[in-house]
């Protein structure tokens, strides 16, 4: 069976509270001068880029780093050698760029990702983003007879569309799952479990061997809400996830969600979580995992690149789907959470909107996409871009996960529609769950109360997932 979804507006990450409030509360100024940065259109310049117009690119310096962008910038410079390119990178996107959006002086291209992402709903409501529809209809660099939209993986356009406009290019494709070391498992004679009963049985063996079965980032405990919701979706079907996205009453108290929360609560009750994990951030917990102090960690497919500096050469990291909770789950074991990520935007009031669109067109060439994959061990939005590319061990595992699912990828949107709900409320509740300060039933009730608050708040823009 295939579990494909209709998605719109999905972006990864969330802005901090200050960033969210500031952008949504302040009108953006400045008129921009992008009209001046426009050249003549031609077969070789379909978007009308002014060849000597400067281009400013700001990259989120997170799990993918920033070096991949320098290669993309070099490709842009090859096409427009007269253009000066200003490159900068930061982990504090909102703190760095929020004032510039408000002042009407934003960069031309922004990788709006990470924990300090600028609130996307605020950007949309303020009209701060250029419509990327023209990019989709432009000829691709690889084959001018094909439009850019025809070179993208299914769902990528839906994932960046708000209210009928394509506003964000989610350049990376992220698969989420449970990660482990193939070297460790082979050495110990362990096999990854397909059922939750099998997971608990294996955790008992792992603990007996002196290794923590699971670690997690307590600072970002929402990482463990991902397998909970994935398991709930697989058990109860996609409608369970849609109800959560649509802020429906009782959605978080659905039997499938309760069963999934109970399963992962069992890890805490039985002592299968690494002691001290509640105080770790994501890098610290992942480093503990890389050092062999824990067998499992929940993460997305950026994990391999993020942990490259500390991963032993023979570690052989691999990813697998969350185990099935029952023998009657509505989705098969191979179903997993997968979606576009790493959202790139072109600010509407940038000085060089034409150049911003062209920069994204360059990124969507096979050469640029293959270079990205080779540098950061991640798939991209470009279909077929890994053909002939030698993949790393972790990425090979990701592609095997995707192939084995036979189209069974799904995701949720609530964390994009209502970022504070995940980043603050679900994050806090999940830490309390994993430290046994609340039960699974109380976790469901606590998150539901938070979701109900968002549903009642007239200041919160509501989105409907079909």
């Amino acid at each position: 069976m295939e579990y494909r979804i209709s998605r719109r507006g999905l972006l990864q990450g969330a802005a901090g509270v200050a960033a969210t409030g500031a952008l949504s509360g302040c009108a953006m100024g400045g008129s921009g001068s992008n009209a001046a940065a426009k050249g003549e259109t031609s077969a070789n310049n379909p978007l009308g880029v002014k060849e000597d117009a400067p281009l400013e690119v700001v990259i989120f310096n997170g799990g993918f780093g920033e070096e991949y962008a320098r290669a993309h910038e070099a490709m842009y410079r090859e096409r427009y050698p007269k253009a000066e390119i200003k490159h900068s990178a930061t982990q504090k996107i909102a703190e760095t760029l929020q004032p510039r959006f408000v002042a009407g002086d934003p960069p031309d291209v922004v990788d709006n990702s990470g924990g300090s992402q600028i609130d996307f709903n605020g950007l949309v409501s303020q009209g701060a983003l250029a419509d990327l529809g023209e990019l989709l209809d432009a000829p691709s660099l690889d084959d001018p007879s094909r439009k850019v939209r025809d070179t993208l993986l299914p769902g990528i356009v839906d994932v960046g569309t708000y209210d009928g406009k394509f506003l964000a290019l989610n350049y990376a494709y992220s698969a989420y799952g449970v990660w482990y070391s193939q070297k460790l498992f082979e050495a110990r004679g362990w096999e990854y479990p397909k059922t939750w009963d099998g997971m608990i049985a294996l955790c008992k063996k792992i603990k007996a061997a002196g290794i923590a079965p699971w670690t997690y980032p307590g600072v970002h405990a929402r990482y463990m809400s991902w397998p909970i919701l994935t398991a709930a979706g697989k058990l109860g079907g996609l409608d369970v996830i849609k109800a959560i996205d649509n802020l429906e009453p009782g959605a978080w108290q659905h039997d499938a969600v309760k069963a999934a929360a109970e399963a992962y609560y069992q890890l805490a009750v039985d002592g299968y979580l690494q002691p001290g994990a509640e105080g770790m951030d994501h890098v610290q917990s992942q480093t503990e995992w890389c050092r062999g102090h824990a067998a499992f960690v929940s993460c997305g497919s950026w994990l391999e690149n993020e942990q490259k500096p500390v991963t032993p050469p023979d570690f052989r990291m691999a990813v697998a789907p969350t185990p099935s909770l029952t023998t009657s789950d509505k989705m098969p074991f191979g179903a997993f959470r997968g979606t576009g990520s790493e959202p790139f935007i072109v600010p509407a009031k940038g000085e060089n909107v034409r150049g911003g669109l062209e920069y994204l067109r360059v990124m969507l060439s096979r050469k640029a996409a293959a270079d990205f994959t080779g540098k950061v061990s991640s798939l991209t939005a470009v279909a077929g871009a890994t053909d002939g590319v030698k993949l790393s061990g972790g990425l090979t595992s990701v592609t095997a996960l995707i192939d084995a699912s036979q189209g069974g990828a799904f995701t949720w949107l609530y964390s994009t529609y209502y970022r504070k709900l995940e980043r603050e409320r679900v994050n806090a509740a999940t830490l309390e769950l994993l430290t046994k300060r609340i039960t699974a039933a109380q976790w469901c009730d606590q998150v539901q109360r938070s979701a109900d608050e968002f549903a009642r708040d007239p200041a919160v823009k509501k989105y409907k997932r079909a």
Side-chain angles (χ1 to χ4, degrees):
M1 295 180 65
E2 292 190 356
Y3 292 89
R4 301 192 181 277
I5 59 177
S6 173
R7 299 174 290 186
R8 64 191 179 107
L10 181 63
L11 291 168
Q12 297 299 309
V17 181
T20 301
L23 188 61
S24 58
C26 298
M28 290 174 296
S31 60
S33 57
N34 53 63
K38 186 172 184 179
E40 296 295 325
T41 60
S42 65
N44 193 49
N45 185 9
L47 294 171
V49 178
K50 187 178 180 182
E51 295 185 0
D52 61 351
L55 183 76
E56 183 179 1
V57 180
V58 178
I59 299 297
F60 169 64
N61 194 4
F64 295 139
E66 62 173 301
E67 289 307 311
Y68 74 86
R70 295 189 185 279
H72 293 165
E73 291 159 8
M75 295 176 197
Y76 182 94
R77 194 176 290 110
E78 286 178 5
R79 294 181 57 78
Y80 304 98
K82 297 179 181 179
E84 176 186 352
I85 299 179
K86 180 180 179 181
H87 167 102
S88 61
T90 178
Q91 292 191 358
K92 299 183 180 297
I93 293 292
E95 293 88 337
T96 303
L97 298 183
Q98 178 94 19
R100 294 186 59 183
F101 271 94
V102 173
D105 179 35
D108 302 306
V109 179
V110 179
D111 174 15
N112 187 33
S113 190
S116 187
Q117 175 193 60
I118 300 176
D119 176 56
F120 198 77
N121 289 344
L123 291 171
V124 173
S125 65
Q126 293 283 347
L129 303 180
D131 189 340
L132 306 182
E134 192 173 352
L135 165 68
L136 293 179
D137 290 329
S140 70
L141 283 181
D142 299 308
D143 181 359
S145 68
R146 299 182 68 199
K147 294 181 179 180
V148 168
R149 70 169 69 245
D150 297 327
T151 69
L152 304 180
L153 289 172
I156 293 297
V157 174
D158 291 339
V159 128
T161 298
Y162 266 75
D163 296 331
K165 292 183 178 181
F166 184 54
L167 300 176
L169 169 64
N170 285 265
Y171 189 62
Y173 181 85
S174 293
Y176 295 74
V178 180
W179 292 78
Y180 63 98
S181 164
Q182 287 182 304
K183 177 189 176 182
L184 173 65
F185 272 51
E186 289 178 5
R188 298 283 184 168
W190 299 333
E191 291 187 10
Y192 184 84
K194 292 187 175 182
T195 67
W196 192 251
D197 287 343
M199 171 59 76
I200 295 302
L202 178 56
C203 284
K204 185 176 181 180
K205 292 180 181 179
I206 294 171
K207 186 177 181 180
I211 302 171
W214 283 74
T215 190
Y216 70 96
V219 175
H220 309 295
R222 66 183 182 277
Y223 276 47
M224 286 296 281
S225 74
W226 301 341
I228 292 174
L229 279 188
T230 301
K234 290 167 71 167
L235 174 60
L238 190 58
D239 285 345
V240 172
I241 302 300
K242 287 182 177 180
I244 287 173
D245 291 339
N246 292 332
L247 298 180
E248 292 183 11
W252 288 90
Q253 296 161 319
H254 190 282
D255 287 345
V257 180
K258 287 182 178 179
E262 191 67 51
Y264 285 84
Y265 178 60
Q266 185 179 359
L267 296 177
V269 171
D270 291 350
Y272 295 148
L273 299 177
Q274 184 182 25
E278 63 270 17
M280 298 180 191
D281 64 19
H282 60 298
V283 173
Q284 291 169 324
S285 62
Q286 291 162 190
T287 298
E288 286 291 291
W289 173 70
C290 287
R291 290 172 176 167
H293 297 163
F296 296 117
V297 69
S298 164
C299 198
S301 51
W302 62 84
L303 175 65
E304 182 177 32
N305 191 67
E306 194 165 56
Q307 293 304 114
K308 191 177 293 184
V310 298
T311 304
D314 57 350
F315 188 78
R316 295 169 59 203
M317 65 173 61
V319 63
T322 57
S324 300
L325 294 181
T326 72
T327 57
S328 57
D329 282 13
K330 291 190 176 180
M331 296 188 195
F333 163 72
F336 70 98
R337 181 191 178 197
T339 185
S341 64
E342 207 68 14
F344 280 75
I345 56 176
V346 175
K349 292 185 178 179
E351 294 289 334
N352 189 4
V353 171
R354 301 278 109 198
L357 296 176
E358 178 72 356
Y359 182 82
L360 298 188
R361 192 168 76 109
V362 169
M363 287 177 61
L364 292 172
S365 67
R366 284 197 169 203
K367 178 182 177 181
D371 187 84
F372 177 86
T373 296
K375 280 186 168 68
V376 307
S377 299
S378 173
L379 303 177
T380 70
V382 182
T386 59
D387 293 350
V389 177
K390 184 177 181 180
L391 303 180
S392 61
L395 191 54
T396 298
S397 178
V398 170
T399 57
L401 173 81
I402 295 170
D403 291 344
S405 76
Q406 297 182 331
F410 68 101
T411 194
W412 47 84
L413 306 182
Y414 91 93
S415 54
T416 296
Y417 293 163
Y418 318 106
R419 289 183 179 84
K420 288 176 63 176
L421 179 56
E422 185 202 36
R423 292 278 169 157
E424 296 180 18
R425 308 298 185 84
V426 172
N427 192 70
T430 304
L431 179 58
E432 291 188 323
L433 176 75
L434 299 177
T435 52
K436 298 183 290 186
R437 292 196 286 267
I438 60 174
T439 66
Q442 290 170 330
W443 181 84
C444 293
D445 293 343
Q446 184 171 319
V447 177
Q448 185 60 55
R449 285 195 297 272
S450 296
D452 290 342
E453 288 180 28
F454 279 74
R456 291 192 300 266
D457 189 345
V460 174
K461 179 177 172 59
K462 309 302 190 300
Y463 294 92
K464 179 73 174 178
R465 179 176 181 179

